[in-house]
Amino acid sequence: MKFGLFVPQGWRLDLVGIDPAQHWGVMAGLARRADGIADWSSLWVYDHFHTVPRPTEEATHEAWALMAAFAGVTGRIRLGQMCTSMGYREPAYLAKVAATVDVVSEGRLEMGIGAGWYEHEWRAYGYGFPGAGERLARLREGVEVMRQMWTTGYATLDGEHYQVDGAMCFPRPLQGTSAAGSRANGIPLWVAGGGERKTLRIAAEYADYTNFSGMPEEFSHKSEVLAGHCRDIGRDVDEIVRSANFNVVIGRDDREVRDRLGWIRDHYASAGLPEDVVESTVQSFADGPLVGTPEQVVEALLDLERRGMTYAIAYFVEQAYDLTGVELFEREVIPNFVDREPHGQFWHFVHGE
């Protein structure tokens, strides 16, 4: 199993109370820290503009600007977004940005992509909010444009939603040219979302990785649906690495777990959220599979591994303020799973893709 780590960027109100002038220092410091710990294979941010669970005036730093910035302050760890919304940037432009970040990072980019869902920011930024069918159709056309640009240097598509006529992408990404990468896509492509008829079908056709629910029974069900789509198109489902995102609430004992949930409650209250929103948010953390002592978290991950989840991306809401939970996870959970031979940035491609 491999592990990724979300870096706080404000979207989930995880920089509240920190002077905005210090935000980059906090994010860069955490990125450098993860870069120095080989058991973290990747670091991640979210592609959003307005905070959750409510839009507020608290900071949300933009994902692709952070990708380039993290590329400059790290040297080993891979860099991803979970996940870029296709509707926020034209796909030819996005493919060019991603290729540049791949060059700047010396071949360390992961491309997370999805149809997008946060209606408030869609409308606020003037993108409208098309129905799910159109958003998914844009996703399919967009990943085709990206695949063409990264693997050939050009893209042409006369689609229903995107028209691209000889868009050029030079230099191409390092991955797939001078560095190992996805044989299908160049830059590894993560198709995120669990929509069964369309999203997972797109994943079966294009993805190197999927990312959907980490709740055990739902993960198993979505995996079965993905496998069905792969059978339909003649692809081996084992070519696709299945990942999930997890809110981690870990403590040395039950009391420490309760204390950490109490901190989460106090933190969201300090952000000015209504009491009912605070309580529902805390409950969403408490209900996750990776909540408990190290032994309980290991047991949950072993169950998910048996179900086919081999890449866990961890989120610690307190990371900008307190590293003890992250350190406990690093010390007592990750060593039960990591495969140290090989353990570098190209792990996926060493294992058959």
Side-chain angles (χ1 to χ4, degrees):
M1 186 179 293
K2 292 295 173 280
F3 291 89
L5 178 67
F6 281 102
V7 174
Q9 70 188 102
W11 180 57
R12 297 183 67 180
L13 297 170
D14 43 22
L15 294 172
V16 170
I18 299 173
D19 185 336
Q22 302 302 316
H23 285 181
W24 171 241
V26 170
M27 290 186 286
L30 291 170
R32 290 189 186 101
R33 180 186 180 279
D35 193 43
I37 298 173
D39 287 347
W40 293 116
S41 294
S42 54
L43 64 82
W44 298 81
V45 295
Y46 298 100
D47 184 34
H48 285 290
F49 307 143
H50 294 173
T51 58
V52 289
R54 293 280 183 89
T56 72
E57 294 182 1
E58 295 290 342
T60 301
H61 295 280
E62 196 274 330
W64 280 95
L66 290 177
M67 286 289 95
F70 287 143
V73 299
T74 61
R76 175 198 63 86
I77 200 163
R78 296 184 65 80
L79 310 171
Q81 339 72 47
M82 192 55 66
C83 64
T84 299
S85 172
M86 184 62 77
Y88 291 174
R89 304 163 191 85
E90 293 291 307
Y93 168 75
L94 179 59
K96 179 66 175 177
V97 170
T100 298
V101 172
D102 198 57
V103 171
V104 171
S105 68
E106 300 179 301
R108 292 186 287 127
L109 184 67
E110 305 282 351
M111 182 74 215
I113 194 71
W117 59 270
Y118 195 175
E119 182 175 357
H120 185 279
E121 63 190 10
W122 275 75
R123 295 192 185 281
Y125 272 72
Y127 301 139
F129 190 62
E134 180 176 332
R135 281 180 279 132
L136 288 162
R138 288 178 179 271
L139 174 62
R140 178 183 293 278
E141 291 182 13
V143 295
E144 176 60 33
V145 169
M146 290 190 291
R147 173 178 281 185
Q148 288 184 36
M149 291 185 71
W150 294 338
T151 59
T152 72
Y154 296 90
T156 296
L157 181 75
D158 184 16
E160 181 180 358
H161 304 288
Y162 297 119
Q163 291 77 44
V164 178
D165 186 11
M168 299 170 65
C169 186
F170 295 100
R172 283 169 50 198
L174 296 188
Q175 296 183 89
T177 55
S178 58
S182 163
R183 286 197 286 268
N185 299 307
I187 296 173
L189 191 66
W190 300 59
V191 175
E196 296 183 8
R197 289 193 306 112
K198 294 185 178 180
T199 303
L200 291 179
R201 177 72 178 204
I202 294 169
E205 294 174 358
Y206 289 95
D208 300 296
Y209 298 75
T210 55
N211 183 269
F212 44 73
S213 172
M215 299 304 288
E217 295 300 328
E218 186 174 358
F219 181 89
S220 292
H221 173 67
K222 301 296 184 184
S223 294
E224 291 172 2
V225 174
L226 177 68
H229 287 307
C230 286
R231 285 193 297 271
D232 289 345
I233 65 173
R235 185 179 184 188
D236 182 354
V237 69
D238 290 334
E239 293 178 0
I240 303 173
V241 175
R242 281 166 285 163
S243 75
N245 306 334
F246 299 95
N247 296 324
V248 181
V249 183
I250 190 169
R252 291 170 295 179
D253 51 34
D254 290 343
R255 178 177 178 178
E256 192 166 272
V257 173
R258 290 193 300 271
D259 288 346
R260 204 172 292 282
L261 286 168
W263 182 92
I264 293 171
R265 177 178 288 104
D266 293 343
H267 177 71
Y268 279 105
S270 76
L273 296 178
E275 183 177 352
D276 62 326
V277 176
V278 170
E279 292 305 318
S280 63
T281 302
V282 173
Q283 193 63 48
S284 72
F285 278 90
D287 289 342
L290 300 195
V291 177
T293 64
E295 295 78 12
Q296 290 169 326
V297 171
V298 167
E299 183 178 352
L301 283 169
L302 285 170
D303 175 53
L304 284 155
E305 186 176 48
R306 288 189 288 268
R307 297 170 186 269
M309 193 281 296
T310 59
Y311 207 128
I313 306 177
Y315 175 77
F316 299 81
V317 67
E318 77 280 6
Q319 189 181 174
Y321 317 89
D322 174 11
L323 284 168
T324 58
V326 180
E327 291 167 346
L328 184 61
F329 189 84
E330 292 166 345
R331 188 170 62 250
E332 298 193 25
V333 175
I334 295 181
N336 292 278
F337 298 93
V338 293
D339 175 12
R340 298 174 187 274
E341 294 291 340
H343 194 60
Q345 69 184 77
F346 299 118
W347 164 79
H348 174 61
F349 306 108
V350 175
H351 284 74
E353 171 54 24

